[in-house]
Amino acid sequence: MNFRNKYDEYLSFFEGELKQFCAEMKHFPPVLTESMRYSLLSGGKRVRPVLFFGSLSHFGGDYTKEARLAIALECIHTYSLIHDDLPAMDNDDFRRGNPSNHKVFGEANAILAGDALLSEAMCLLLGEAGRSERHLRAAQYLADAAGADGMIAGQSADLLYTGRTGDEKELSFIYAHKTGKLLTAPIVMAAILCGGDEKKAEEFGEALGTLFQLTDDILDEKGESAKMGKTLGKDREEDKLTCVKVYGMEGAELCADRTAAHCHALLRALGGDGFLASIVDLVRTRDN
Amino acid sequence: MNFRNKYDEYLSFFEGELKQFCAEMKHFPPVLTESMRYSLLSGGKRVRPVLFFGSLSHFGGDYTKEARLAIALECIHTYSLIHDDLPAMDNDDFRRGNPSNHKVFGEANAILAGDALLSEAMCLLLGEAGRSERHLRAAQYLADAAGADGMIAGQSADLLYTGRTGDEKELSFIYAHKTGKLLTAPIVMAAILCGGDEKKAEEFGEALGTLFQLTDDILDEKGESAKMGKTLGKDREEDKLTCVKVYGMEGAELCADRTAAHCHALLRALGGDGFLASIVDLVRTRDN
């Protein structure tokens, strides 16, 4: 099976499970359910769930048994986007080609939708934690990755360094946390669940997270807004600390190429894998 | 030991454990740690942890072994206050006599501090979940109580009914969720951990939660701002759906008296308890 077919298999399984999950959400008031569904079902590439399923397959696991961990992962990612788009944060009016959550439901409801999605993740993870010792550990890994030493530290650093001069060290902290933690988690969680090499999985995940944010920064500068589904050029406008600011565009592209090569080397150490290797190439060459 | 001494014993144990927890938080950037600590350590009556410890003692448990669940409870309560005080939500400049989180750290950092505290709770609960089957169930109860069918549903309904005509049914939904869920949780969690009667614990908790919000609404109308540590009269100003709006002040006081009596009756069904009975009286007669 080629890469595209495999990606679609994972994606369509995930979309089916997520739709089911959303259909079963019957929170009151209706606006709460609607605002949660709006962002959860707004499409996107579902990189984290697909990476999780691909990694489970790589380590010899059955991905169809881990849908709820994948949904927890996507709930956390989605809540972070909703809060990140708020006027007090990145103030983005568009996300995935649609008006962002607060543009549709208002700021107060968007704050609550984000809180509710993080809470749903907490409930899902506690549900999974009861399945086995390994599930408990995988859930804990994700919770740590999402928290104050993980993704939120990256968001906070991103705010802190906006409008300031920053160097490579500060940039790499933002990359490792803001983006890296939640892209590393699905790979390490898969290793935990299947008894794979967690250390090597983590190294590969961290490199892939760096690559993802490098290309994100590059695309913010030279991508097409229609393809990306969000307003571009905002990093420069707001003077964010990005790889383009630190290295210049040529330097950033070079850095992305090197990081992609590093990802491939780490993947070989992890036992090689056609699907995950293609993910690396996709992340490097994507236009959205 | 009289009620006040017992309350102080629980309170001082909790404050010690919380201080230790905060001292061990070493998140980067420093502003993230500072904003989390600022709200966590801003005092308050610690009603939920004290209620948890009192309930554990009631059911024959050792409260000193459950500090981390109490901290998780307080993290969730604190995050909800930080987000609730935001300009887009209740827009409160003061909390417990101090400037609210976003007045000190800015809105973006306050959003992240709230997210981080909820994430800390998630990590704590997953840590406790590994201790025993009962701990897992207690953690799940709290997660559900905090989530989209719990406290957040109450917050969302509170927004929805602001500025609208509402009746008793709508008021009781707000009460049961916005305040009730997180006051019921410590009592039921204690019952779960000690093998107590969960159903009766829940009934008592729900009545106590109602009483707490009734007196909160009454105090917003006729309390003293200096004692309450926050701006009062805001409910009327913003046309919130409160018991004073639905029943008038006299009716609200009467309703609070009846609810307090109901609490005492439910407590007797739970095996009676001097400490918890005094908590009911405290909640009814408090001036802050």
PDB file of all heavy atoms in Angstrom, chain A residues 239-267:
ATOM      1  N   ASP A 239       6.409  40.606  14.786  1.00  0.00           N
ATOM      2  CA  ASP A 239       7.795  40.436  15.211  1.00  0.00           C
ATOM      3  C   ASP A 239       7.990  39.225  16.116  1.00  0.00           C
ATOM      4  O   ASP A 239       8.597  39.305  17.188  1.00  0.00           O
ATOM      5  CB  ASP A 239       8.298  41.718  15.908  1.00  0.00           C
ATOM      6  CG  ASP A 239       9.823  41.759  15.947  1.00  0.00           C
ATOM      7  OD1 ASP A 239      10.469  41.035  15.162  1.00  0.00           O
ATOM      8  OD2 ASP A 239      10.371  42.495  16.793  1.00  0.00           O
ATOM      9  N   LYS A 240       7.450  38.089  15.652  1.00  0.00           N
ATOM     10  CA  LYS A 240       7.628  36.819  16.362  1.00  0.00           C
ATOM     11  C   LYS A 240       9.050  36.313  16.174  1.00  0.00           C
ATOM     12  O   LYS A 240       9.686  36.600  15.162  1.00  0.00           O
ATOM     13  CB  LYS A 240       6.675  35.763  15.775  1.00  0.00           C
ATOM     14  CG  LYS A 240       5.231  36.017  16.084  1.00  0.00           C
ATOM     15  CD  LYS A 240       4.769  35.123  17.216  1.00  0.00           C
ATOM     16  CE  LYS A 240       3.326  35.423  17.568  1.00  0.00           C
ATOM     17  NZ  LYS A 240       2.965  34.900  18.875  1.00  0.00           N
ATOM     18  N   LEU A 241       9.510  35.548  17.155  1.00  0.00           N
ATOM     19  CA  LEU A 241      10.823  34.915  17.019  1.00  0.00           C
ATOM     20  C   LEU A 241      10.673  33.653  16.181  1.00  0.00           C
ATOM     21  O   LEU A 241      10.168  32.641  16.645  1.00  0.00           O
ATOM     22  CB  LEU A 241      11.387  34.575  18.403  1.00  0.00           C
ATOM     23  CG  LEU A 241      12.828  34.048  18.411  1.00  0.00           C
ATOM     24  CD1 LEU A 241      13.805  35.065  17.839  1.00  0.00           C
ATOM     25  CD2 LEU A 241      13.257  33.655  19.820  1.00  0.00           C
ATOM     26  N   THR A 242      11.074  33.733  14.905  1.00  0.00           N
ATOM     27  CA  THR A 242      10.954  32.586  13.996  1.00  0.00           C
ATOM     28  C   THR A 242      12.319  32.262  13.400  1.00  0.00           C
ATOM     29  O   THR A 242      13.261  33.051  13.530  1.00  0.00           O
ATOM     30  CB  THR A 242      10.002  32.895  12.825  1.00  0.00           C
ATOM     31  OG1 THR A 242      10.654  33.866  11.970  1.00  0.00           O
ATOM     32  CG2 THR A 242       8.682  33.467  13.305  1.00  0.00           C
ATOM     33  N   CYS A 243      12.408  31.128  12.716  1.00  0.00           N
ATOM     34  CA  CYS A 243      13.666  30.758  12.073  1.00  0.00           C
ATOM     35  C   CYS A 243      14.023  31.733  10.962  1.00  0.00           C
ATOM     36  O   CYS A 243      15.199  31.974  10.699  1.00  0.00           O
ATOM     37  CB  CYS A 243      13.618  29.328  11.551  1.00  0.00           C
ATOM     38  SG  CYS A 243      12.384  29.035  10.280  1.00  0.00           S
ATOM     39  N   VAL A 244      12.996  32.311  10.335  1.00  0.00           N
ATOM     40  CA  VAL A 244      13.264  33.280   9.266  1.00  0.00           C
ATOM     41  C   VAL A 244      13.891  34.541   9.863  1.00  0.00           C
ATOM     42  O   VAL A 244      14.818  35.126   9.293  1.00  0.00           O
ATOM     43  CB  VAL A 244      11.967  33.618   8.492  1.00  0.00           C
ATOM     44  CG1 VAL A 244      12.250  34.605   7.369  1.00  0.00           C
ATOM     45  CG2 VAL A 244      11.337  32.350   7.929  1.00  0.00           C
ATOM     46  N   LYS A 245      13.425  34.931  11.026  1.00  0.00           N
ATOM     47  CA  LYS A 245      13.997  36.105  11.701  1.00  0.00           C
ATOM     48  C   LYS A 245      15.437  35.821  12.141  1.00  0.00           C
ATOM     49  O   LYS A 245      16.319  36.664  12.024  1.00  0.00           O
ATOM     50  CB  LYS A 245      13.131  36.469  12.915  1.00  0.00           C
ATOM     51  CG  LYS A 245      13.600  37.714  13.680  1.00  0.00           C
ATOM     52  CD  LYS A 245      12.635  38.100  14.797  1.00  0.00           C
ATOM     53  CE  LYS A 245      13.243  39.193  15.688  1.00  0.00           C
ATOM     54  NZ  LYS A 245      12.367  39.531  16.830  1.00  0.00           N
ATOM     55  N   VAL A 246      15.683  34.612  12.640  1.00  0.00           N
ATOM     56  CA  VAL A 246      17.008  34.283  13.185  1.00  0.00           C
ATOM     57  C   VAL A 246      18.020  33.969  12.083  1.00  0.00           C
ATOM     58  O   VAL A 246      19.162  34.419  12.126  1.00  0.00           O
ATOM     59  CB  VAL A 246      16.918  33.108  14.189  1.00  0.00           C
ATOM     60  CG1 VAL A 246      18.297  32.642  14.636  1.00  0.00           C
ATOM     61  CG2 VAL A 246      16.082  33.507  15.411  1.00  0.00           C
ATOM     62  N   TYR A 247      17.595  33.179  11.051  1.00  0.00           N
ATOM     63  CA  TYR A 247      18.555  32.726  10.032  1.00  0.00           C
ATOM     64  C   TYR A 247      18.403  33.404   8.676  1.00  0.00           C
ATOM     65  O   TYR A 247      19.231  33.197   7.791  1.00  0.00           O
ATOM     66  CB  TYR A 247      18.404  31.217   9.778  1.00  0.00           C
ATOM     67  CG  TYR A 247      18.493  30.354  11.015  1.00  0.00           C
ATOM     68  CD1 TYR A 247      17.421  29.553  11.400  1.00  0.00           C
ATOM     69  CD2 TYR A 247      19.657  30.319  11.786  1.00  0.00           C
ATOM     70  CE1 TYR A 247      17.499  28.738  12.519  1.00  0.00           C
ATOM     71  CE2 TYR A 247      19.738  29.510  12.917  1.00  0.00           C
ATOM     72  CZ  TYR A 247      18.664  28.729  13.278  1.00  0.00           C
ATOM     73  OH  TYR A 247      18.738  27.931  14.381  1.00  0.00           O
ATOM     74  N   GLY A 248      17.328  34.144   8.471  1.00  0.00           N
ATOM     75  CA  GLY A 248      17.002  34.606   7.113  1.00  0.00           C
ATOM     76  C   GLY A 248      16.333  33.470   6.359  1.00  0.00           C
ATOM     77  O   GLY A 248      16.424  32.300   6.778  1.00  0.00           O
ATOM     78  N   MET A 249      15.654  33.770   5.246  1.00  0.00           N
ATOM     79  CA  MET A 249      14.895  32.724   4.539  1.00  0.00           C
ATOM     80  C   MET A 249      15.798  31.616   4.007  1.00  0.00           C
ATOM     81  O   MET A 249      15.484  30.436   4.144  1.00  0.00           O
ATOM     82  CB  MET A 249      14.087  33.352   3.388  1.00  0.00           C
ATOM     83  CG  MET A 249      13.237  32.366   2.612  1.00  0.00           C
ATOM     84  SD  MET A 249      12.107  31.397   3.650  1.00  0.00           S
ATOM     85  CE  MET A 249      10.719  32.542   3.778  1.00  0.00           C
ATOM     86  N   GLU A 250      16.940  31.998   3.409  1.00  0.00           N
ATOM     87  CA  GLU A 250      17.829  30.980   2.846  1.00  0.00           C
ATOM     88  C   GLU A 250      18.357  30.064   3.954  1.00  0.00           C
ATOM     89  O   GLU A 250      18.379  28.842   3.818  1.00  0.00           O
ATOM     90  CB  GLU A 250      18.992  31.676   2.126  1.00  0.00           C
ATOM     91  CG  GLU A 250      19.532  30.897   0.942  1.00  0.00           C
ATOM     92  CD  GLU A 250      20.583  31.718   0.186  1.00  0.00           C
ATOM     93  OE1 GLU A 250      20.313  32.922  -0.058  1.00  0.00           O
ATOM     94  OE2 GLU A 250      21.648  31.183  -0.124  1.00  0.00           O
ATOM     95  N   GLY A 251      18.774  30.685   5.047  1.00  0.00           N
ATOM     96  CA  GLY A 251      19.279  29.922   6.190  1.00  0.00           C
ATOM     97  C   GLY A 251      18.203  29.011   6.772  1.00  0.00           C
ATOM     98  O   GLY A 251      18.472  27.872   7.180  1.00  0.00           O
ATOM     99  N   ALA A 252      16.965  29.501   6.791  1.00  0.00           N
ATOM    100  CA  ALA A 252      15.860  28.711   7.333  1.00  0.00           C
ATOM    101  C   ALA A 252      15.599  27.473   6.473  1.00  0.00           C
ATOM    102  O   ALA A 252      15.384  26.370   6.982  1.00  0.00           O
ATOM    103  CB  ALA A 252      14.606  29.574   7.424  1.00  0.00           C
ATOM    104  N   GLU A 253      15.634  27.670   5.147  1.00  0.00           N
ATOM    105  CA  GLU A 253      15.421  26.540   4.225  1.00  0.00           C
ATOM    106  C   GLU A 253      16.525  25.494   4.400  1.00  0.00           C
ATOM    107  O   GLU A 253      16.263  24.285   4.420  1.00  0.00           O
ATOM    108  CB  GLU A 253      15.419  27.032   2.759  1.00  0.00           C
ATOM    109  CG  GLU A 253      14.257  27.950   2.409  1.00  0.00           C
ATOM    110  CD  GLU A 253      13.006  27.184   1.952  1.00  0.00           C
ATOM    111  OE1 GLU A 253      12.929  25.962   2.177  1.00  0.00           O
ATOM    112  OE2 GLU A 253      12.111  27.844   1.376  1.00  0.00           O
ATOM    113  N   LEU A 254      17.742  25.970   4.534  1.00  0.00           N
ATOM    114  CA  LEU A 254      18.889  25.073   4.723  1.00  0.00           C
ATOM    115  C   LEU A 254      18.712  24.287   6.023  1.00  0.00           C
ATOM    116  O   LEU A 254      18.943  23.070   6.081  1.00  0.00           O
ATOM    117  CB  LEU A 254      20.175  25.918   4.763  1.00  0.00           C
ATOM    118  CG  LEU A 254      21.488  25.153   4.664  1.00  0.00           C
ATOM    119  CD1 LEU A 254      21.629  24.501   3.291  1.00  0.00           C
ATOM    120  CD2 LEU A 254      22.683  26.098   4.909  1.00  0.00           C
ATOM    121  N   CYS A 255      18.306  24.997   7.051  1.00  0.00           N
ATOM    122  CA  CYS A 255      18.103  24.377   8.357  1.00  0.00           C
ATOM    123  C   CYS A 255      17.011  23.306   8.264  1.00  0.00           C
ATOM    124  O   CYS A 255      17.128  22.220   8.845  1.00  0.00           O
ATOM    125  CB  CYS A 255      17.731  25.466   9.362  1.00  0.00           C
ATOM    126  SG  CYS A 255      17.621  24.875  11.039  1.00  0.00           S
ATOM    127  N   ALA A 256      15.952  23.602   7.513  1.00  0.00           N
ATOM    128  CA  ALA A 256      14.862  22.632   7.341  1.00  0.00           C
ATOM    129  C   ALA A 256      15.366  21.388   6.609  1.00  0.00           C
ATOM    130  O   ALA A 256      15.020  20.255   6.979  1.00  0.00           O
ATOM    131  CB  ALA A 256      13.697  23.277   6.586  1.00  0.00           C
ATOM    132  N   ASP A 257      16.204  21.577   5.568  1.00  0.00           N
ATOM    133  CA  ASP A 257      16.749  20.430   4.840  1.00  0.00           C
ATOM    134  C   ASP A 257      17.595  19.550   5.759  1.00  0.00           C
ATOM    135  O   ASP A 257      17.500  18.327   5.741  1.00  0.00           O
ATOM    136  CB  ASP A 257      17.606  20.914   3.655  1.00  0.00           C
ATOM    137  CG  ASP A 257      16.737  21.448   2.513  1.00  0.00           C
ATOM    138  OD1 ASP A 257      15.557  21.040   2.439  1.00  0.00           O
ATOM    139  OD2 ASP A 257      17.225  22.280   1.724  1.00  0.00           O
ATOM    140  N   ARG A 258      18.441  20.218   6.546  1.00  0.00           N
ATOM    141  CA  ARG A 258      19.294  19.462   7.469  1.00  0.00           C
ATOM    142  C   ARG A 258      18.466  18.709   8.500  1.00  0.00           C
ATOM    143  O   ARG A 258      18.771  17.586   8.867  1.00  0.00           O
ATOM    144  CB  ARG A 258      20.245  20.415   8.190  1.00  0.00           C
ATOM    145  CG  ARG A 258      21.434  20.802   7.339  1.00  0.00           C
ATOM    146  CD  ARG A 258      22.400  21.666   8.133  1.00  0.00           C
ATOM    147  NE  ARG A 258      23.439  22.189   7.267  1.00  0.00           N
ATOM    148  CZ  ARG A 258      24.077  23.329   7.455  1.00  0.00           C
ATOM    149  NH1 ARG A 258      23.780  24.091   8.511  1.00  0.00           N
ATOM    150  NH2 ARG A 258      25.020  23.732   6.628  1.00  0.00           N
ATOM    151  N   THR A 259      17.428  19.371   8.986  1.00  0.00           N
ATOM    152  CA  THR A 259      16.588  18.732  10.009  1.00  0.00           C
ATOM    153  C   THR A 259      15.845  17.538   9.418  1.00  0.00           C
ATOM    154  O   THR A 259      15.693  16.497  10.078  1.00  0.00           O
ATOM    155  CB  THR A 259      15.601  19.754  10.607  1.00  0.00           C
ATOM    156  OG1 THR A 259      16.350  20.870  11.097  1.00  0.00           O
ATOM    157  CG2 THR A 259      14.819  19.162  11.758  1.00  0.00           C
ATOM    158  N   ALA A 260      15.407  17.675   8.163  1.00  0.00           N
ATOM    159  CA  ALA A 260      14.740  16.546   7.507  1.00  0.00           C
ATOM    160  C   ALA A 260      15.701  15.361   7.379  1.00  0.00           C
ATOM    161  O   ALA A 260      15.322  14.207   7.638  1.00  0.00           O
ATOM    162  CB  ALA A 260      14.215  16.972   6.129  1.00  0.00           C
ATOM    163  N   ALA A 261      16.934  15.654   7.016  1.00  0.00           N
ATOM    164  CA  ALA A 261      17.936  14.587   6.897  1.00  0.00           C
ATOM    165  C   ALA A 261      18.176  13.939   8.262  1.00  0.00           C
ATOM    166  O   ALA A 261      18.310  12.707   8.374  1.00  0.00           O
ATOM    167  CB  ALA A 261      19.239  15.164   6.335  1.00  0.00           C
ATOM    168  N   HIS A 262      18.219  14.761   9.296  1.00  0.00           N
ATOM    169  CA  HIS A 262      18.407  14.263  10.658  1.00  0.00           C
ATOM    170  C   HIS A 262      17.232  13.360  11.067  1.00  0.00           C
ATOM    171  O   HIS A 262      17.433  12.302  11.684  1.00  0.00           O
ATOM    172  CB  HIS A 262      18.536  15.466  11.606  1.00  0.00           C
ATOM    173  CG  HIS A 262      18.884  15.104  13.015  1.00  0.00           C
ATOM    174  ND1 HIS A 262      19.931  14.247  13.351  1.00  0.00           N
ATOM    175  CD2 HIS A 262      18.326  15.469  14.203  1.00  0.00           C
ATOM    176  CE1 HIS A 262      19.986  14.109  14.672  1.00  0.00           C
ATOM    177  NE2 HIS A 262      19.021  14.841  15.211  1.00  0.00           N
ATOM    178  N   CYS A 263      16.025  13.773  10.696  1.00  0.00           N
ATOM    179  CA  CYS A 263      14.838  12.948  10.965  1.00  0.00           C
ATOM    180  C   CYS A 263      14.994  11.558  10.328  1.00  0.00           C
ATOM    181  O   CYS A 263      14.709  10.543  10.973  1.00  0.00           O
ATOM    182  CB  CYS A 263      13.575  13.591  10.383  1.00  0.00           C
ATOM    183  SG  CYS A 263      12.955  14.992  11.318  1.00  0.00           S
ATOM    184  N   HIS A 264      15.441  11.537   9.086  1.00  0.00           N
ATOM    185  CA  HIS A 264      15.586  10.258   8.392  1.00  0.00           C
ATOM    186  C   HIS A 264      16.624   9.381   9.088  1.00  0.00           C
ATOM    187  O   HIS A 264      16.439   8.165   9.217  1.00  0.00           O
ATOM    188  CB  HIS A 264      15.954  10.491   6.920  1.00  0.00           C
ATOM    189  CG  HIS A 264      14.778  10.900   6.072  1.00  0.00           C
ATOM    190  ND1 HIS A 264      13.677  10.101   5.903  1.00  0.00           N
ATOM    191  CD2 HIS A 264      14.521  12.043   5.384  1.00  0.00           C
ATOM    192  CE1 HIS A 264      12.784  10.721   5.128  1.00  0.00           C
ATOM    193  NE2 HIS A 264      13.275  11.914   4.798  1.00  0.00           N
ATOM    194  N   ALA A 265      17.720   9.999   9.534  1.00  0.00           N
ATOM    195  CA  ALA A 265      18.758   9.232  10.230  1.00  0.00           C
ATOM    196  C   ALA A 265      18.212   8.631  11.535  1.00  0.00           C
ATOM    197  O   ALA A 265      18.454   7.463  11.849  1.00  0.00           O
ATOM    198  CB  ALA A 265      19.962  10.139  10.524  1.00  0.00           C
ATOM    199  N   LEU A 266      17.470   9.444  12.273  1.00  0.00           N
ATOM    200  CA  LEU A 266      16.901   8.964  13.542  1.00  0.00           C
ATOM    201  C   LEU A 266      15.861   7.874  13.305  1.00  0.00           C
ATOM    202  O   LEU A 266      15.718   6.949  14.105  1.00  0.00           O
ATOM    203  CB  LEU A 266      16.278  10.133  14.321  1.00  0.00           C
ATOM    204  CG  LEU A 266      17.271  11.147  14.881  1.00  0.00           C
ATOM    205  CD1 LEU A 266      16.545  12.389  15.405  1.00  0.00           C
ATOM    206  CD2 LEU A 266      18.113  10.511  15.995  1.00  0.00           C
ATOM    207  N   LEU A 267      15.158   7.997  12.202  1.00  0.00           N
ATOM    208  CA  LEU A 267      14.141   7.005  11.866  1.00  0.00           C
ATOM    209  C   LEU A 267      14.795   5.667  11.523  1.00  0.00           C
ATOM    210  O   LEU A 267      14.295   4.604  11.906  1.00  0.00           O
ATOM    211  CB  LEU A 267      13.310   7.526  10.689  1.00  0.00           C
ATOM    212  CG  LEU A 267      12.034   6.776  10.353  1.00  0.00           C
ATOM    213  CD1 LEU A 267      11.150   6.624  11.586  1.00  0.00           C
ATOM    214  CD2 LEU A 267      11.259   7.526   9.265  1.00  0.00           C
TER     215      LEU A 267
END
